[in-house]
Amino acid sequence: MTHGMSATRAGTSGLAVASLVCGIIGLLFFNVILGPLAIIFGAVALRQSRGSGAGMAKAGITLGIVDLVIFTVLLVVAASSGGFSWYIGG
């Protein structure tokens, strides 16, 4: 049956997976929100589990930091080019 397969996957921390997913999605969308979430989830996952999902948690933390760096670079580029302006018809 499939019960044996689900038992082998139960050792991975859900917070480590959440950290990795937030870090990956944050590279493209909402990096200012998902970056810190990836860092927080990864840090909590590292503290809670010793070994299971530690690699995913570390990768999530790294991607969260990269998310924040991307946001900072985009913010600096937008500020140096005069910011954003909205032009609506007329």
Side-chain angles (χ1 to χ4, degrees), residues 53-72:
M56 279 193 273
K58 290 176 185 175
I61 291 171
T62 304
L63 287 172
I65 293 169
V66 170
D67 292 344
L68 292 178
V69 168
I70 289 172
F71 174 73
T72 304

Side-chain angles (χ1 to χ4, degrees), residues 1-24:
M1 302 276 269
T2 60
H3 296 291
M5 291 185 80
S6 64
T8 59
R9 307 278 284 154
T12 305
S13 170
L15 287 172
V17 173
S19 172
L20 186 63
V21 169
C22 285
I24 291 171

